[in-house]
């Protein structure tokens, strides 16, 4: 550890008004020692990690950290902020700030040392010593000192080997076989800090409660799996995680407490008490919920869970959309629109004819498109009920295709399938039968119930609604079409690949399953609006580069291609660094583009591809004008807003805002 932190990396009087300023101050010390190659690039990585989940912990601790290609050696900087800095902890600002910088390829040895520090931060005596350190050298020595030995995980209890809980003379020790045993898994997005802090907190709380616990830390330093014997001997399971638990099916059939990793740090005793209560009530789960069912404490509400279930289906569907749509687009580009009438390539294929190759691409893309609704339904059910929900979900999606219920039918079929499996899982099943539940009983009952409801009860009304929606889209014109374009543009640019973006995109793609004039207008508006944010950021970094960091300027170069390819996520680095300026500006530009695309009656047959599928666009010149108008609008707003911010600081000349607007106008 001594090579990771030196007195030069310690600031006992850290003065900063925000977590961004604190990170920059500590990172500057790292750069001065040659530990960071690109300060702005590293800080962008820190901000991206912070955007995933706040790094503030109860007890006045902030622990920003990340893996970054801009880090040359594993480094730790420490700052003590008397005034406190808000890192998002529920109990208030942090006065102890640890900035951890790990190289993208950090070895296990270094990561193990950092994980040891994370565990020590859970010990009040260590934290108290840091608060009372008088000199940077003393603080560095405390942090760099040999870590206190971490208690080895308790073995699975057996009558002969399980240790007895601590007792007082008046209370006899409980028999070893009566001790309550828990296995736990902790994990976080980076796998450097919170993973091990949660493990330490659970271990300490278990020791105080007289509970045997074995924790599997699924962190960056690698992990040792719990043995089947340890899992079998456990009375309950605690998951404290913000990323998927690996091989989660191992824990099926156990009372389970499932929460975010920060709850494992801050509420360890409550989680263990909850696990004991569930075991006492016999709340045995016959499945292990997939991580999209719960990705942290935010997923407690039904609305949040519903969103993650739907996003699970959409995220698995998108690759089929991209592959199938681009294959169809290439087929049209090579063989023309009449290629959709070509005979099956299995019966007629001429190796030297371009038309045969175009037919092969078109028919392959069509097959990929045929999976859209079943995959959507299948993985919505998977998001709700894990693998037992896959078969009922796919069956329900296939029924939706059969009865022409389309995209909307697939959504409903997935929810029915997942809900059916979850309902069956609540039935108390004798232990000998639990082994066949996920493989035989749940898929069988789930498929039968889902198919019955889709074929005979829900499917026909949904199919009628789908047809009405299709007819409505076909008849869109004038002001109604423009309003829809504005709404779709706002949704596409609000979260740049997030839930609202995916909902708008899925709506457009669903319409292409039964293509008509209206659905192709929607697809054109959605794709055009989605191209605006990265293109605008690329243009802004070109015309006013000094308003952006070096890392952002580099990202701007890549954003040209990402935007042209309809990859809205190309603007995420900019939005993460400055969301209050970038996101509103992007939404305005997206709304302009969506409205103009609808007003110009542009159409698009391909669901992906950006400007590379321009030959498949109706009114292509007007389509490009709509994209350019939205891009220039967003660029002008970003430059204006960033220029206003700089004007309020000492480093920005007074005419920044006017100059920015003039440069954008010149670029137009």
């Amino acid at each position: 550890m001594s090579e990771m932190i030196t007195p030069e990396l310690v600031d006992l009087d850290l003065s900063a008004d925000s977590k961004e300023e604190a990170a920059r101050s500590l990172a500057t010390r790292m750069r001065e020692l040659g530990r960071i190659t690109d300060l702005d690039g590293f800080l962008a990585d820190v901000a991206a990690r912070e955007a995933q989940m706040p790094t503030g912990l109860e007890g006045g601790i902030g622990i920003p950290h990340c893996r970054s290609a801009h880090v040359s050696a594993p480094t730790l900087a420490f700052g003590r902020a008397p005034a406190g800095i808000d890192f998002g902890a529920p109990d208030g600002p942090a006065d102890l700030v640890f900035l951890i910088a790990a190289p993208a390829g950090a070895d296990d040895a270094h990561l193990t040392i950092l994980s040891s520090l994370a565990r020590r931060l859970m010990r009040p005596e260590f934290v108290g010593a840091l608060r009372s350190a008088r000199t940077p050298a003393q603080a560095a020595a405390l942090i760099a000192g040999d870590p206190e030995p971490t208690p080895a995980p308790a073995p699975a209890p057996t009558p002969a080997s399980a240790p007895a809980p601590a007792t007082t003379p008046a209370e006899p020790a409980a028999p070893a076989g009566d001790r309550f045993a828990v296995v736990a898994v902790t994990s976080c997005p980076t796998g450097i800090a919170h993973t091990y802090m949660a493990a330490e907190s659970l271990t300490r709380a278990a020791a105080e409660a007289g509970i045997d616990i074995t924790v599997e830390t699924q962190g960056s330093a690698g992990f040792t799996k719990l043995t089947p014997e340890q899992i079998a001997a456990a009375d309950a399971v605690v998951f404290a995680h913000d990323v998927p638990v690996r091989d989660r099916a191992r824990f099926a059939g156990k009372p389970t407490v499932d929460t975010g990793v920060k709850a494992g740090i801050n509420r360890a005793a409550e989680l263990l008490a909850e696990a004991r209560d569930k075991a006492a009530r016999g709340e045995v789960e016959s499945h292990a919920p997939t991580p999209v069912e719960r990705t942290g404490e935010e997923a407690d509400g039904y609305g949040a869970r519903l969103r993650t279930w739907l996003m699970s289906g959409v995220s698995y569907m998108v690759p089929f959309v991209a592959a199938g749509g681009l294959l169809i687009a290439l087929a049209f580009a090579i063989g023309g629109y009449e290629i959709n009438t070509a005979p099956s390539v299995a019966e007629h294929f001429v190796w030297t004819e371009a038309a045969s190759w175009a037919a092969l691409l078109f028919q392959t893309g069509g097959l990929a498109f045929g999976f859209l609704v079943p995959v959507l339904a299948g993985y919505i059910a998977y998001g709700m009920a894990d693998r037992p929900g896959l078969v009922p979900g796919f069956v329900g999606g296939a029924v939706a295709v059969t009865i022409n219920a389309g995209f909307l039918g697939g959504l409903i079929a997935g929810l029915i399938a997942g809900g059916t499996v979850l309902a069956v899982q609540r039935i108390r099943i004798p232990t000998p039968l639990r082994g066949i539940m996920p493989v035989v009983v749940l898929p069988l009952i789930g498929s039968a119930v889902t198919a019955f409801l889709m074929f005979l009860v829900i499917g026909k009304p949904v199919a009628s609604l789908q047809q009405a929606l299709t007819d409505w889209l076909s008849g869109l014109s004038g002001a109604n079409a423009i309003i829809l374009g504005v709404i779709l543009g706002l949704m596409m640019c609000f979260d740049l690949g997030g839930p609202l973006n995916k909902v708008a995109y899925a709506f457009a793609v669903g319409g292409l399953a039964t293509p008509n004039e209206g659905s192709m207008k929607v697809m054109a508006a959605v794709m055009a609006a989605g191209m605006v944010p990265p293109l605008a950021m690329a243009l802004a970094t070109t015309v006013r580069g000094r308003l952006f960091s070096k890392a952002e300027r580099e990202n701007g170069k890549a954003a040209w291609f990402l935007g042209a390819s309809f990859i809205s996520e190309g603007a995420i680095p900019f939005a993460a660094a400055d969301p209050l300026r970038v996101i509103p500006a992007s939404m305005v530009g997206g709304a302009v583009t969506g409205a103009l695309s609808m007003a110009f009656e542009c159409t698009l047959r391909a669901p992906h591809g950006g400007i590379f599928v321009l030959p498949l666009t109706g009114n292509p010149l007007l389509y490009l004008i709509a994209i350019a108008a939205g891009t220039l609008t967003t660029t002008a707003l970003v430059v204006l807003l960033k220029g206003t911010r700089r004007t309020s600081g000492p480093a920005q000349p007074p005419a920044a805002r006017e100059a920015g607007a003039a440069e954008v106008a010149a670029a137009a």
Side-chain angles (χ1 to χ4, degrees):
M1 178 68 83
S2 58
E3 64 187 23
M4 294 189 189
I5 183 166
T6 65
E8 293 79 13
L9 292 170
V10 175
D11 184 355
L12 296 183
D13 191 20
L14 178 61
S15 177
D17 294 329
S18 66
K19 59 185 178 182
E20 291 81 11
E21 291 183 13
R24 179 173 290 275
S25 176
L26 294 175
T28 299
R29 292 173 177 260
M30 295 180 177
R31 183 187 60 181
E32 291 171 351
L33 294 181
R35 307 291 185 91
I36 292 177
T37 58
D38 183 343
L39 178 61
D40 290 330
F42 169 69
L43 290 173
D45 291 335
V46 172
R49 168 63 186 87
E50 194 77 21
Q52 294 177 0
M53 182 182 68
T55 54
L57 303 174
E58 290 185 3
I61 296 173
I63 186 164
H65 58 278
C66 73
R67 284 174 172 269
S68 174
H70 306 296
V71 178
S72 58
T75 305
L76 170 66
F78 169 65
R80 199 165 64 192
I85 300 169
D86 184 10
F87 276 88
D91 63 340
D95 64 315
L96 301 181
V97 181
F98 299 82
L99 178 62
I100 299 176
D107 57 42
D108 287 353
H110 286 118
L111 292 171
T112 299
I113 294 173
L114 292 175
S115 70
S116 175
L117 168 67
R119 287 180 180 272
R120 284 194 287 160
L121 286 174
M122 292 292 96
R123 302 174 185 176
E125 62 275 11
F126 176 68
V127 174
L130 285 176
R131 286 198 169 101
S132 60
R134 296 178 179 273
T135 65
Q138 185 181 1
L142 279 169
I143 297 171
D146 291 333
E148 300 173 23
T150 301
T158 64
S161 63
T167 59
T168 64
E171 181 183 357
D178 291 343
R179 286 177 66 92
F180 188 74
V182 171
V183 290
V185 176
T186 61
S187 64
C188 66
T190 307
I192 295 175
H194 293 81
T195 298
Y196 303 97
M197 299 171 85
E200 178 69 14
S201 183
L202 286 167
T203 300
R204 293 171 69 88
E208 293 174 0
I211 295 174
D212 286 327
I213 189 168
T214 310
V215 184
E216 181 181 293
T217 51
Q218 296 184 354
S220 295
F223 68 99
T224 301
K225 281 188 176 181
L226 293 162
T227 66
E229 294 76 18
Q230 289 171 323
I231 297 173
D235 298 299
V237 180
V238 174
F239 293 134
H241 67 111
D242 286 324
V243 294
V245 173
R246 304 174 213 181
D247 298 330
R248 183 166 179 164
R250 296 173 288 162
F251 304 95
K254 295 286 183 182
T256 302
V257 175
D258 190 351
T259 188
V261 68
K262 293 188 77 172
I265 298 172
N266 300 326
R267 300 191 294 110
E270 294 178 30
L271 301 183
L272 294 172
E274 183 180 350
R276 192 193 290 270
D277 290 343
K278 282 194 171 186
R281 294 193 300 268
E283 292 186 14
V284 176
E285 298 184 6
S286 58
H287 83 298
T290 181
V292 297
E293 183 178 346
R294 174 184 287 276
T295 55
E297 293 173 287
E298 293 180 350
D300 288 340
Y302 178 77
R305 291 200 303 272
L306 177 62
R307 183 189 66 214
T308 55
W309 296 337
L310 297 179
M311 283 298 297
S312 175
V314 172
S315 65
Y316 280 102
M317 182 189 75
V318 166
F320 287 85
V321 173
L326 291 177
L327 285 170
I328 292 173
L330 287 172
F332 282 139
I334 296 172
Y337 292 120
E338 66 277 5
I339 201 64
N340 61 348
T341 61
S344 170
V345 293
E347 300 173 357
H348 176 78
F349 186 84
V350 180
W351 288 75
T352 56
E353 288 185 2
S356 291
W357 289 100
L360 175 63
L361 294 173
F362 179 82
Q363 291 169 27
T364 304
L367 289 173
F369 249 45
F371 286 103
L372 294 188
V373 173
V375 167
L376 173 70
Y379 280 98
I380 288 174
Y382 171 77
M384 298 175 69
D386 202 20
R387 282 184 291 183
L390 275 175
V391 173
F394 272 92
V395 169
V399 174
V401 173
T402 302
I403 62 176
N404 296 319
F407 175 74
L408 184 58
L411 287 175
I412 295 174
L415 293 172
I416 291 174
T420 301
V421 172
L422 288 175
V424 175
Q425 287 171 340
R426 295 183 183 276
I427 300 174
R428 297 291 296 274
I429 303 296
T431 301
L433 299 180
R434 288 178 192 154
I436 66 171
M437 288 290 291
V439 179
V440 178
V441 178
L442 293 175
L444 173 64
I445 297 177
S447 298
V449 172
T450 303
F452 169 77
L453 292 175
M454 288 300 296
F455 267 126
L456 302 178
V457 180
I458 300 174
K460 291 181 180 179
V462 172
S464 299
L465 179 61
Q466 177 76 16
Q467 185 60 47
L469 178 62
T470 300
D471 295 340
W472 176 69
L473 288 175
S474 300
L476 277 177
S477 62
N480 290 335
I482 293 173
I483 293 173
L484 179 61
V486 169
I487 294 172
L488 292 173
L490 292 171
M491 294 175 69
M492 287 298 295
C493 299
F494 173 70
D495 50 5
L496 305 173
L500 277 181
N501 175 286
K502 288 295 189 291
V503 167
Y505 179 63
F507 173 69
V509 171
L512 287 186
T514 54
N516 54 59
E517 192 75 12
S519 63
M520 289 189 290
K521 288 179 184 177
V522 170
M523 189 70 250
V526 163
M527 187 178 296
M531 295 165 64
V532 165
L535 289 175
M537 295 305 104
L539 179 59
T541 56
T542 300
V543 299
R544 286 299 300 276
R546 67 175 178 270
L547 293 178
F548 298 87
S549 67
K550 181 180 178 181
E552 288 176 323
R553 292 195 294 272
E554 290 300 316
N555 288 332
K557 297 175 183 177
W560 284 114
F561 178 76
L562 295 174
S565 303
F566 180 46
I567 300 176
S568 304
E569 288 85 347
I572 286 179
F574 301 91
D578 194 2
L580 295 181
R581 293 174 177 81
V582 172
I583 291 177
S586 297
M587 291 175 67
V588 173
V592 169
T593 293
L596 289 177
S597 177
M598 283 292 196
F600 295 154
E601 298 187 346
C602 301
T603 59
L604 183 60
R605 296 174 177 270
H608 215 290
I611 64 170
F612 301 103
V613 294
L614 193 62
L616 304 178
T617 306
N619 297 325
L621 180 59
L622 293 175
Y623 189 65
L624 290 176
I625 291 174
I627 295 172
T631 300
L632 290 172
T633 299
T634 295
T635 302
L637 286 173
V638 166
V639 170
L640 180 67
L641 293 171
K642 284 184 174 286
T644 302
R645 179 189 64 180
R646 292 295 185 90
T647 300
S648 63
Q652 180 68 18
R657 180 171 58 188
E658 291 79 1
E663 290 186 40
V664 174

